[in-house]
Amino acid sequence: MALVLEHQSADVDDQAKALAGWQQRYEQLGRGRFQGSARQVVMAGGTVLRESTNRQLREQIRPPSDCLVLAIPLSVAPGSVFAGRPLDADALMIISGHDEYDLVAAGELDLLALSVDRRRLDSMLTPHEIEWLAQAERQRRWALAADTAGAVRGELLAVCKAAERGAPGAVIDLENESALIGATLAHMVALAMSGGSAERSDAGIPRRADSRLRVVKRAIEFIRANLQEDIGIPEICTAACASRRSLQYCFEEFLHTTPQAYLRALRLNEARRRLKQQADQPITLLACTMGFSSASHFTRHYRLMFNELPSQTQRLGGEGTTKA
């Protein structure tokens, strides 16, 4: 029997909790009201899922430790990045529960994925297919030909369609679901092996790009650790071991924003979390704590980012989310 789970959200923190067992952290970087959804068909041996979001986000994702995930965009905004490399519609992502991955959505993103219990791989794939999958897992991203990518999406959409009759929270009867998971995985791997190319896929981030990505990660770690401190670009440059020009270039390459805008976005995201957790928190004090010069300055940027006033977030207290 398969369990159908559906999640609708108007908040990035709530959306990050949509997938059971996943460790995820989402930060909203783009302006406007957030809308997200996730639909999961949970079966013996694996899960087929679809997740959609509508704003520029940075996502840190880690599936359950016993899972291996193959994911592909149904639609993706140009400029999106996965594991430091461009994410386009023909990119197959191989996501292990042993690592954390960075995904930057430049705008709307609609993902399809198959999550399988890696302990069952021996019963689902041939030794040659398992060897290929291990190689792809190390690379994290495998470039597919356009027709192959379409066929992979078709495999996942077929399972989603079979479960359409199930209302959220319903348990439905899918014929031989364990075999269905195994067959879907085997078909996806066979397609990727025949329609992808090691020449076109990335054996890893080129050394210089890897160095630039490390600059971004050092800067983000410093920013997160000092959100309430009086820090600016000079301090971030020092922590990231980069010049102002290099820092700007690296942020625009991997995050499609500037260091200053990213610092402000993280402060606004953190302020939103605090408003949801403590509804009676004085907005003037919060604005000061988060490094804004005044409550009006904070409110202006908050409204631009989330399309609502801080006082509205306080009243909602994180409502506006439906789950099943």
Side-chain angles (χ1 to χ4, degrees), residues 201-213:
S201 64
D202 304 302
I205 302 172
R207 186 173 301 170
R208 292 182 180 177
D210 187 42
S211 298
R212 296 195 296 274
L213 185 58

Side-chain angles (χ1 to χ4, degrees), residues 299-320:
T299 299
R300 182 170 65 254
H301 282 288
Y302 191 94
R303 186 172 188 176
L304 283 171
M305 177 65 77
F306 303 116
N307 198 33
E308 67 183 32
L309 295 170
S311 57
Q312 292 174 298
T313 304
Q314 285 179 312
R315 287 196 298 271
L316 288 171
E319 293 178 5

